[in-house]
Every structure is written in structure tokens, then in C-alpha cells.
């Protein structure tokens, strides 16, 4: 999902049929405005759960990678990083972790993984109390290793994390 077959100077058709309709809508909005709405500014927790900013920003990041749109990837990365801070406990974080650590991941997703790791360490006790989080920890060893690597890097050990 992370590469395109576009050749320089040749017309290209883009098949959007495999994308989530919300992603297509926001992708078109981005093409016209160089921005998109992830719904993270929703006034209520219910609206955030419905809009799923983390999930949408993840998918927009992948769309940017798929269609070779580095500016979209940068915007989605920034929005994902912002959304992680205030949506981590309002969305199903475990589903997002599964998507990020699925075997079909691409190298570009490691940037998003690095945004998620400190959040999970910072809220580890709260997350660990959730059965779904424990299941994800056991199901995705790379995720568990990323948490340990982050926790035990010298700069984080000195901070007393």
C-alpha cells in the first residue's frame, strides 16, 4: 500500500475504490484546500468517537504514502500527533495499534509508531488495566519491544519514566 506505479510525464488514473469513503472525502478536500478535517475539534466525546481522528489521520497518512503526496503525509503526521494527545482514551487505541503493527505495515508507518510509543508509556498503568490493550501487547511483540526500547533508552531512564 506504500508505493505507486506512476511514471514521470505519463497520465495517471487513481483508483480510490479501495479507500474508506471518509478518506476519499477528506482527500478531495485536501486537493482543493491543502488541508482536511479530522474531526478532532469536535465539541463532544461522542462526536470524537464517531469521527475517529486517530484512525482518519492514520488512513490519510497512508493515502499520502500510496499516492506519493509527501505534503499530505506531513500534514497527517502532524494531525495524528496532535490527536494522539487528546483522543487516545476516546477512540479504540487498540485497533489503531493493530493497524500500525499489522504485518502489512510499510516503513513510513514507523513515524506514526514513534508518536504512539511515548503516549502508551505515559499512560501505561491506565492502558494495562484494559483487557484489549493486554491482548494487543501479547499479540504484537514488535509493539511490546518498541515500548521497552523507548522506556529503557538512556535519556528516558534518566528522566525517571
Amino acid at each position: 500500500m506504500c508505493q505507486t506505479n506512476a511514471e514521470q510525464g505519463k497520465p495517471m488514473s487513481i483508483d480510490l475504490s479501495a479507500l474508506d469513503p471518509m478518506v476519499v472525502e477528506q482527500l478531495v478536500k485536501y486537493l482543493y484546500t491543502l488541508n482536511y478535517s479530522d474531526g478532532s475539534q469536535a465539541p463532544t466525546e461522542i462526536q470524537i468517537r464517531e469521527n475517529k481522528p486517530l484512525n482518519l489521520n492514520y488512513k490519510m497518512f497512508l493515502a499520502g504514502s500510496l499516492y506519493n503526496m509527501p505534503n499530505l503525509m506531513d500534514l497527517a503526521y502532524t494531525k495524528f500527533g496532535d490527536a494522539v494527545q487528546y483522543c487516545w482514551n476516546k477512540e479504540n487505541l487498540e485497533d489503531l495499534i493493530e493497524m500500525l503493527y499489522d504485518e502489512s505495515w510499510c516503513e513510513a508507518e514507523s513515524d506514526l509508531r514513534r508518536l504512539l510509543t511515548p503516549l502508551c508509556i505515559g499512560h501505561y498503568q491506565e492502558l494495562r488495566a484494559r483487557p484489549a490493550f493486554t491482548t494487543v501487547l501479547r499479540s504484537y511483540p514488535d509493539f511490546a519491544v518498541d515500548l521497552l526500547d523507548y522506556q529503557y533508552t538512556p535519556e528516558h531512564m534518566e528522566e525517571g519514566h
Side-chain angles (χ1 to χ4, degrees):
M1 178 182 252
C2 295
Q3 296 180 0
T4 180
N5 293 330
E7 291 182 29
Q8 197 73 335
K10 292 192 177 184
M12 182 175 92
S13 66
I14 298 175
D15 180 11
L16 301 175
S17 63
L19 294 179
D20 180 322
M22 177 66 97
V23 173
V24 173
E25 177 183 333
Q26 295 307 317
L27 186 57
V28 170
K29 183 176 181 176
Y30 173 80
L31 291 172
Y32 281 96
T33 66
L34 298 181
N35 201 358
Y36 67 90
S37 173
D38 66 358
S40 63
Q41 303 307 319
T44 68
E45 191 170 310
I46 291 170
Q47 288 174 319
I48 288 176
R49 281 192 184 130
E50 289 172 0
N51 293 331
K52 300 185 183 330
L54 288 172
N55 189 301
L56 178 62
N57 290 315
Y58 166 75
K59 289 178 179 180
M60 291 297 288
F61 184 87
L62 289 182
S65 177
L66 177 65
Y67 299 118
N68 196 22
M69 301 170 72
N71 291 339
L72 175 58
M73 289 176 67
D74 290 344
L75 179 62
Y77 175 85
T78 299
K79 287 182 178 250
F80 182 89
D82 292 344
V84 159
Q85 298 306 314
Y86 51 82
C87 295
W88 69 271
N89 207 19
K90 296 178 180 86
E91 283 190 52
N92 189 341
L93 188 66
E94 293 80 7
D95 286 347
L96 180 67
I97 293 166
E98 287 178 0
M99 287 187 289
L100 281 169
Y101 285 86
D102 186 20
E103 66 276 353
S104 64
W105 76 284
C106 67
E107 189 61 36
E109 288 177 276
S110 62
D111 292 338
L112 298 181
R113 288 178 173 187
R114 282 191 289 277
L115 289 174
L116 197 59
T117 303
L119 174 110
C120 291
I121 291 294
H123 296 282
Y124 184 76
Q125 294 303 322
E126 202 172 342
L127 289 168
R128 187 68 171 89
R130 293 163 40 171
F133 186 79
T134 301
T135 300
V136 166
L137 263 177
R138 292 181 178 168
S139 300
Y140 295 92
D142 287 346
F143 174 57
V145 168
D146 283 353
L147 292 179
L148 286 169
D149 284 348
Y150 180 84
Q151 179 69 17
Y152 290 103
T153 56
E155 63 268 14
H156 295 107
M157 290 179 69
E158 291 169 9
E159 294 172 4
H161 287 278

